[in-house]
C-alpha cells in the first residue's frame, strides 16, 4: 500500500532551446560528413589518358627549368618578410604538378600541401620564408587575422581519426586528442593557432590540411608574384581577402 501511495519520480527537464540546438548540431555534423564523402568520391573518379612523347619532353624541360628557377630565387636577395608582429602564416598551394621538379614536390609535401587548393598554418620565421621562396610559383601565403583563422577552422576544419577524415564539429574529439595540452574545445584550437601558442605544432598536426574552393576571379592562373599582378608569393594581410573568397 505504501508503495502505491509513493509519489512518481520527477523526470529531468531539458529546455526546448537546448534540444533544438542539439538537433541542429547533429544535422550540421551529418551534412559536413556527407560533403566530405562526396568530395573524396569526386577526387577518386578522375579519368586517365595517354600522353604523347612530345608532352613528356615538354614536361621534362619545364621541370628542369623549375629547378633552375628555384635555385635562382634562393640566391636572390630580398627585403626581410617577417616582422616581430607577424607570427602566423597561412599557405595555400595554387599550382599543379605538370611542370614541377621532384625537389619542388618534395618541399610541398613536407609542408603537407599534397593537393592544389590545400592550405596549412605555419609559424612565420626566416627558415619557413626561405622554404616558401623555393616553391613560390606554386604557393601564395600571408598573415591571417583571427577572423580568418576562426572561419577556416569552423567551416573547413577536418581531423584524421585512424584512417578516417572527420569534420571538426565535436568538442569531445578535441578533448580526447588534445586534452593533455589543456585544449578542450574548438575555440581553444582557434586561440592556440591564432596566437601561435606553445602547443601550436600539436594542434596543426591534429588538423588536416584545409581543402579550399576556387571561386571565379579569386585566382588568375598566373605564376607571377602577387605584387607584380600575379597569384603567387607573399600577400601579407591580403591573404585574408583570398581566404574569405575560397572558404
Amino acid at each position: 500500500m505504501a508503495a502505491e501511495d509513493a509519489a512518481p519520480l520527477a523526470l529531468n527537464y531539458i529546455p526546448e532551446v537546448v534540444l533544438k540546438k542539439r538537433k541542429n548540431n547533429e544535422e550540421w555534423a551529418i551534412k559536413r560528413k556527407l560533403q566530405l564523402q562526396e568530395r573524396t568520391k569526386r577526387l577518386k573518379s578522375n579519368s586517365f589518358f595517354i600522353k604523347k612523347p612530345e608532352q613528356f619532353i615538354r614536361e621534362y624541360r619545364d621541370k628542369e627549368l623549375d629547378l633552375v628557377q628555384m635555385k635562382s630565387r634562393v640566391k636572390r636577395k630580398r627585403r626581410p618578410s617577417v616582422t616581430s608582429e607577424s607570427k602566423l602564416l597561412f599557405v595555400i598551394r595554387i599550382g599543379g604538378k605538370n611542370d614541377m621538379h621532384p625537389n619542388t614536390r618534395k618541399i610541398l609535401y613536407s609542408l603537407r600541401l599534397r593537393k592544389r587548393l590545400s592550405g596549412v598554418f605555419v609559424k612565420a620565421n626566416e627558415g619557413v620564408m626561405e622554404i616558401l621562396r623555393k616553391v613560390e610559383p606554386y604557393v601564395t601565403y600571408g598573415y591571417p587575422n583571427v577572423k580568418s583563422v576562426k572561419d577556416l577552422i569552423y567551416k573547413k576544419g577536418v581531423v584524421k581519426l585512424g584512417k578516417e577524415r572527420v569534420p571538426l564539429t565535436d568538442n569531445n574529439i578535441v578533448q580526447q586528442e588534445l586534452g593533455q595540452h589543456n585544449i578542450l574545445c574548438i575555440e581553444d584550437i582557434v586561440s592556440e593557432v591564432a596566437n601561435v601558442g606553445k602547443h601550436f605544432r600539436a594542434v596543426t598536426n591534429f588538423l588536416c590540411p584545409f581543402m579550399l574552393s576556387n571561386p571565379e576571379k579569386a585566382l588568375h592562373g598566373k605564376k607571377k608574384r602577387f605584387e607584380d599582378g600575379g597569384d603567387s608569393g607573399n600577400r601579407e594581410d591580403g591573404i585574408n581577402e583570398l581566404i574569405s573568397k575560397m572558404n
Side-chain angles (χ1 to χ4, degrees):
M1 189 70 178
E4 292 178 0
D5 294 338
L9 296 174
L11 297 175
N12 291 330
Y13 173 72
I14 301 177
E16 185 179 357
V17 174
V18 175
L19 292 173
K20 286 183 177 179
K21 187 174 182 181
R22 187 181 298 171
K23 183 180 179 182
N24 290 337
N25 287 341
E26 290 174 353
E27 291 177 351
W28 181 45
I30 293 171
K31 183 180 178 182
R32 287 287 308 278
K33 189 171 183 179
L34 290 174
Q35 287 176 342
L36 185 63
Q37 290 174 348
E38 182 63 28
R39 188 183 303 129
T40 304
K41 190 187 298 182
R42 191 165 59 248
L43 290 173
K44 287 182 178 179
S45 64
N46 291 336
S47 58
F48 296 91
F49 62 93
I50 299 174
K51 293 183 179 180
K52 296 180 180 180
E54 294 83 357
Q55 288 178 288
F56 283 104
I57 295 172
R58 184 166 57 251
E59 287 180 9
Y60 175 79
R61 289 175 177 171
D62 289 341
K63 290 175 183 178
E64 291 303 307
L65 178 61
D66 179 46
L67 179 62
V68 172
Q69 291 174 340
M70 179 200 295
K71 294 178 179 179
S72 175
R73 285 192 297 272
V74 174
K75 293 178 181 178
R76 191 186 310 151
K77 291 185 178 181
R78 294 184 186 168
R79 61 181 177 84
S81 302
V82 178
T83 65
S84 58
E85 292 82 14
S86 56
K87 297 179 181 179
L88 178 67
L89 282 172
F90 187 68
V91 186
I92 304 172
R93 177 174 170 179
I94 59 174
K97 58 183 181 180
N98 290 338
D99 55 352
M100 185 184 298
H101 192 272
N103 287 3
T104 304
R105 185 181 299 111
K106 186 176 180 180
I107 293 172
L108 290 172
Y109 281 15
S110 71
L111 292 168
R112 302 197 301 155
L113 298 173
R114 304 181 73 89
K115 296 180 180 178
R116 186 174 177 271
L117 302 182
S118 57
V120 293
F121 292 110
V122 297
K123 284 185 179 181
N125 55 51
E126 283 302 328
V128 168
M129 298 303 292
E130 184 175 349
I131 290 173
L132 293 176
R133 278 196 289 270
K134 291 181 180 180
V135 295
E136 193 169 74
Y138 302 95
V139 296
T140 187
Y141 50 93
Y143 310 117
N145 55 31
V146 177
K147 182 182 183 302
S148 294
V149 173
K150 187 170 185 176
D151 287 348
L152 280 167
I153 291 173
Y154 272 95
K155 293 181 182 179
K156 299 286 188 181
V158 173
V159 298
K160 194 169 185 179
L161 298 178
K163 294 183 179 180
E164 188 177 1
R165 290 165 57 93
V166 180
L168 183 58
T169 56
D170 190 350
N171 287 331
N172 292 325
I173 295 176
V174 178
Q175 185 173 358
Q176 180 182 344
E177 298 295 324
L178 300 173
Q180 69 271 28
H181 303 307
N182 201 29
I183 297 171
L184 308 177
C185 61
I186 300 174
E187 197 61 35
D188 288 343
I189 288 180
V190 173
S191 176
E192 188 70 18
V193 172
N195 296 310
V196 191
K198 60 182 179 180
H199 302 301
F200 176 82
R201 181 181 289 273
V203 171
T204 51
N205 286 340
F206 173 61
L207 294 168
C208 293
F210 297 87
M211 296 308 299
L212 306 173
S213 59
N214 186 16
E216 188 178 357
K217 297 181 180 178
L219 296 171
H220 307 289
K222 299 178 182 178
K223 285 189 177 181
K224 291 193 298 183
R225 296 170 62 198
F226 177 71
E227 59 189 49
D228 297 329
D231 292 329
S232 67
N234 193 351
R235 294 172 179 250
E236 299 187 353
D237 295 336
I239 195 69
N240 294 294
E241 182 182 353
L242 182 62
I243 290 173
S244 67
K245 292 179 179 179
M246 301 180 73
N247 195 4

